[in-house]
Amino acid sequence: MLRRAITLFLLPVVALCLATSTGDSAPAPHRAGSQHGMVVSASALASAIGRDVLKAGGNAVDAAVATGFALAVTYPVAGNIGGGGFMVIRMPDGRTTTIDFREIAPRAARPDMFTDSTGAYSARIHHGSLKSVGVPGTVAGFSMANKKYGKTIWSKLVDPAVQLASNGFDIPAGLARSLSGARKNLGTYPASVAAYYKNGEPYAAGEKLKLPDLARTLTRIRDKGRDGFYLGETAQLLAAEMKRGGGLITKEDLKGYEARERAAVHGTYRGYDIISMPPPSSGGVAMIEMLNILEGFDLAAEQHNSPKYVHLVAEAMRRAFLDRARYLGDPDFSRPPIEKLTSKTYASGLRKTILPDRATPSAPAQVVEAHESTETTHFSVVDENGMAVSVTYTLEAGYGVGAVVPGAGFLLNNEMGDFNGKPGVTDTTGLIGTDANLAGPGKRMLSSMTPSIITKDGTLVAVVGSPGGRTIINTVLQVVLNVIDFHMSIEDAVKAPRFHHQWLPDVISVERNGLPAATVSALEAMGYHVKFGSSQGTAHSIAIDPKTGAKIGAADPRDADAGAAGY
Ligand code: DON
């Protein structure tokens, strides 16, 4: 029953993923090379705005902020001001930091808030009601990034998004398909239909989309900074919508939101340095744990995506995902054992438990994790001085909870769905009830977003990341392995077929046509269940050519409207 409810609930999300991931008729270059600066994002229009900020003398943080605001207009499936995310920064002198602008639970949140009047867990409340909306973090995060690490005045970074929203832009093919697929989902909220449809019908590609309410909200943000979102009219409109629809966020919650600066999590892999996001993302810790396990195997001696290779990588994934479920949550509320999980010694113990030619079954009696959907977006920026910025941010599901705030024009997230569903209830339908990630006032829900930066001997190598719920960690892992073990160009590393194992369910899911039949048979003979799915992630990345220093931008071909813009 529960599984059916979750499946029904997810159908629109899967449809959206397909709608945005066809990769055909790309309207802008997916690959670009340049000597100075580079921006790669899910929207060619937004990448161009970031590129123009770099060209005008802005640094990589400035370009990331401008790109992020532009994506909130041109890529509404995941670009946002009503959601949250993470920014990983590496300065030209090698210092690193991260900005955590993950949503937080409102003050009225409780661990059992996703249960109905009978006390039963409700997937609808958890993922599809206004109670699933977390206090947005994006504007506070971008404001902190601009104040601490930017050099361009704030208004210049927000204004291009204001112009896009008020003057309108030509709807690219991927967005037209995506909005058409999302019509039913967004239909619950009249303000969403009014904003994104023409008399209730989908726009065709090439038609102009104007977003006047969003333009007014962005204008307040441009003119008043973060207060233009967290105080005054925007806060008032958001709080009113919550009250109307049974949500929990109040004006006090909005006023109290703070982004956090946190030390990056660091790992090493075959002489390369990996810089990534710490908790409340599980991404950096889990990826480093996997890399540490895999470092003890001669992966380059195996053929890429051969049965042996997939086996070793899947076993590393399985072990890291079990630890993710056991230990990780908001570090402001519990103490995730980050040092242990990212240590080489711990990884070598785990490596010894991997059999050379046999899958290790996952134990269903242990923790089982809850669903995460697959709509988010990642963008990468490198500037002329080598400053690198890796940002992944999200509304959680495609178009978040599907609700545009009336009068304010922006979509709300459903990120509260990343908290565990019901305390103490862990079962094979996909619920997990462990303590570290239960909802509570002011708490950040556990994420899988893995914005990352790779360096070698103090020199920038690549900026990587992806959307895709829990598949994010494994997508980023495989891009890193493709670059380091298989010396692929960034374009090939991003394009190569991907697979995913997350401990439970005990299945390797593979992209459509991602592995030949003989490989699947060999994996099945080792004890694996292999399942083909749709595409996995969109890893918009940048690499530095070691010989020329050129920045090579590679937008993932799985994302139709994406673009790499350099100068
Ligand atoms: O934070 C997380 O891990 C999820 N809410 C991200 C969702 C996601 O990636 C959906 N994306 N494509």
Side-chain angles (χ1 to χ4, degrees):
M1 181 69 186
L2 174 66
R3 189 193 296 276
R4 190 163 169 272
I6 292 178
T7 309
L8 283 176
F9 185 77
L10 291 182
L11 276 177
V13 174
V14 172
L16 294 180
C17 285
L18 292 174
T20 55
S21 304
T22 58
D24 57 357
S25 67
H30 272 61
R31 182 194 187 281
S34 85
Q35 278 304 324
H36 304 287
M38 177 65 66
V39 181
V40 188
S41 82
S43 156
L45 284 169
S47 299
I49 282 170
R51 186 262 329 272
D52 291 347
V53 167
L54 292 178
K55 233 173 159 176
N59 68 14
V61 167
D62 296 326
V65 168
T67 304
F69 277 119
L71 285 165
V73 181
T74 60
Y75 194 73
V77 67
N80 69 81
I81 54 174
F86 305 117
M87 179 183 287
V88 176
I89 305 171
R90 181 179 185 270
M91 332 287 168
D93 65 6
R95 282 175 304 137
T96 62
T97 191
T98 76
I99 293 180
D100 164 3
F101 53 99
R102 184 69 162 165
E103 298 91 330
I104 60 169
R107 284 156 208 226
R110 298 288 176 266
D112 61 356
M113 64 181 280
F114 310 117
T115 53
D116 63 20
S117 54
T118 69
Y121 167 74
S122 162
R124 191 196 62 79
I125 299 174
H126 195 194
H127 298 282
S129 74
L130 290 189
K131 287 198 172 62
S132 73
V133 183
V135 181
T138 296
V139 178
F142 287 177
S143 168
M144 177 183 270
N146 176 248
K147 284 200 174 103
K148 289 198 156 182
Y149 298 105
K151 58 181 212 179
T152 302
I153 57 166
W154 174 256
S155 59
K156 289 202 167 158
L157 305 179
V158 192
D159 190 61
V162 172
Q163 301 311 325
L164 271 176
S166 63
N167 300 333
F169 63 97
D170 296 342
I171 299 184
L175 177 57
R177 272 195 298 273
S178 172
L179 282 171
S180 170
R183 173 66 182 82
K184 192 158 167 243
N185 202 22
L186 297 185
T188 320
Y189 295 93
S192 306
V193 177
Y196 287 107
Y197 298 88
K198 197 174 55 173
N199 305 321
E201 295 300 318
Y203 285 95
E207 286 190 283
K208 206 169 269 308
L209 178 63
K210 291 187 182 184
L211 298 159
D213 286 343
L214 179 59
R216 278 187 284 277
T217 298
L218 287 166
T219 301
R220 289 191 287 276
I221 295 168
R222 181 193 66 191
D223 298 344
K224 298 183 180 149
R226 57 161 283 159
D227 289 354
F229 185 86
Y230 293 96
L231 300 174
E233 189 176 348
T234 315
Q236 172 68 41
L237 291 165
L238 198 163
E241 172 64 358
M242 287 287 133
K243 209 163 184 185
R244 186 206 59 75
L248 301 182
I249 299 173
T250 62
K251 285 203 280 183
E252 283 302 297
D253 287 316
L254 290 162
K255 193 172 163 192
Y257 182 87
E258 295 292 347
R260 296 239 190 284
E261 183 166 15
R262 301 186 192 275
V265 63
H266 277 256
T268 60
Y269 183 66
R270 303 193 201 281
Y272 289 78
D273 288 285
I274 312 293
I275 300 147
S276 192
M277 194 66 210
S281 182
S282 59
V285 171
M287 182 171 70
I288 289 167
E289 182 175 334
M290 293 177 203
L291 288 170
N292 285 339
I293 294 171
L294 292 171
E295 201 172 36
F297 297 114
D298 187 2
L299 288 188
E302 308 298 334
Q303 201 192 327
H304 184 255
N305 281 358
S306 63
K308 180 73 185 281
Y309 176 81
V310 175
H311 163 61
L312 295 175
V313 175
E315 290 306 318
M317 290 171 175
R318 184 198 304 274
R319 283 155 180 76
F321 268 89
L322 171 55
D323 283 340
R324 174 191 189 275
R326 276 181 177 153
Y327 299 117
L328 298 179
D330 184 345
D332 295 341
F333 286 73
S334 61
R335 285 195 167 268
I338 299 177
E339 267 183 40
K340 169 183 154 174
L341 296 179
T342 57
S343 82
K344 301 276 184 198
T345 322
Y346 180 66
S348 77
L350 290 178
R351 193 183 310 121
K352 290 190 188 114
T353 67
I354 298 177
L355 302 169
D357 52 6
R358 201 70 213 147
T360 320
S362 297
Q366 296 171 283
V367 176
V368 181
E369 291 187 88
H371 158 74
E372 280 169 30
S373 77
T374 51
E375 289 298 340
T376 293
T377 192
H378 173 80
F379 51 102
S380 300
V381 184
V382 178
D383 71 18
E384 186 167 22
N385 297 317
M387 184 184 217
V389 176
S390 188
V391 181
T392 315
Y393 76 154
T394 185
L395 291 165
E396 166 43 14
Y399 303 97
V401 75
V404 162
V405 176
F410 64 90
L411 281 152
L412 291 167
N413 69 80
N414 62 341
E415 216 75 56
M416 297 286 283
D418 279 357
F419 280 119
N420 293 345
K422 183 174 172 181
V425 176
T426 296
D427 65 29
T428 49
T429 67
L431 281 176
I432 175 173
T434 50
D435 287 352
N437 188 37
L438 289 174
K443 195 168 171 185
R444 286 162 152 83
M445 55 299 281
L446 185 63
S447 173
S448 298
M449 292 186 283
T450 316
S452 303
I453 295 171
I454 311 173
T455 66
K456 190 168 198 300
D457 302 327
T459 304
L460 183 64
V461 172
V463 183
V464 295
S466 178
R470 273 170 290 171
T471 68
I472 291 173
I473 312 172
N474 292 335
T475 293
V476 181
L477 171 80
Q478 287 167 86
V479 174
V480 171
L481 296 177
N482 292 347
V483 167
I484 297 180
D485 286 289
F486 295 95
H487 306 290
M488 289 185 198
S489 69
I490 194 69
E491 204 179 356
D492 289 345
V494 163
K495 198 162 59 178
R498 301 193 266 258
F499 57 90
H500 172 72
H501 193 297
Q502 58 175 45
W503 177 56
L504 283 172
D506 193 350
V507 168
I508 298 179
S509 52
V510 182
E511 288 188 302
R512 206 179 308 119
N513 306 320
L515 291 177
T519 304
V520 174
S521 305
L523 287 165
E524 285 169 348
M526 287 184 211
Y528 287 101
H529 300 283
V530 180
K531 189 185 88 186
F532 284 91
S534 53
S535 64
Q536 180 181 317
T538 47
H540 306 308
S541 303
I542 300 175
I544 310 303
D545 183 318
K547 292 197 190 87
T548 64
K551 284 99 185 169
I552 311 298
D556 198 313
R558 295 165 183 82
D559 218 340
D561 301 340
Y567 81 102

